[in-house]
Amino acid sequence: MDARYFDLSDDTPVYVISVAAQLSGLHPQTLRQYDRLGLVSPGRTAGRGRLYSTRDIVLLREVQRLSQEEGINLAGIKRILALETENLRMREELSRLKSEMAMIRALIQYQLPPA
């Protein structure tokens, strides 16, 4: 049986804060602080408890690395993460536009009416 059986992805919030803290190597209070600062946005249980995904765990480790190894403060890290997210969004949009342009070029080349 694999994760697909349960319809789990890297974005599925499954880890309670104590497990997420252990997996990330951080203290639970640090995870709460990062949540309050908007560095990570875990899912919530019906009782408002935090649930972290595998992607959240990777992000927590990256925040810690940037802080400790690179000496970047939390405000700087938040900005870096926002820029990385925007960069990814723009790359996806560029890819979509390139595909659209290729389709339009093919239609023009074969003088087919657009669908």
Side-chain angles (χ1 to χ4, degrees):
M1 205 179 299
D2 63 18
R4 289 175 296 188
Y5 177 81
F6 297 104
D7 196 29
L8 298 176
S9 75
D10 288 344
D11 294 315
T12 305
V14 293
Y15 303 109
V16 295
I17 194 166
S18 59
V19 175
Q22 185 175 16
L23 292 172
S24 66
L26 300 170
H27 192 277
Q29 191 59 38
T30 304
L31 273 61
R32 290 183 193 94
Q33 178 186 14
Y34 288 177
D35 183 13
R36 282 191 300 274
L37 293 172
L39 294 171
V40 66
S41 299
R44 298 289 180 168
T45 65
R48 303 293 299 150
R50 293 169 175 86
L51 284 178
Y52 293 83
S53 68
T54 300
R55 193 171 313 278
D56 292 331
I57 302 299
V58 170
L59 181 59
L60 289 165
R61 288 179 178 171
E62 178 64 3
V63 169
Q64 190 69 358
R65 186 191 71 76
L66 289 169
S67 175
Q68 291 189 347
E69 293 177 18
E70 304 295 332
I72 301 170
N73 67 26
L74 295 179
I77 292 170
K78 186 173 182 177
R79 182 69 177 139
I80 288 169
L81 296 177
L83 289 170
E84 286 179 347
T85 299
E86 179 65 8
N87 187 348
L88 179 60
R89 187 198 63 75
M90 291 175 76
R91 286 176 183 266
E92 290 169 351
E93 178 71 4
L94 178 61
S95 178
R96 186 190 67 76
L97 291 171
K98 282 181 177 180
S99 296
E100 192 174 306
M101 281 179 40
M103 184 180 71
I104 290 170
R105 284 185 180 132
L107 289 172
I108 290 170
Q109 181 179 0
Y110 297 108
Q111 297 181 353
L112 298 174

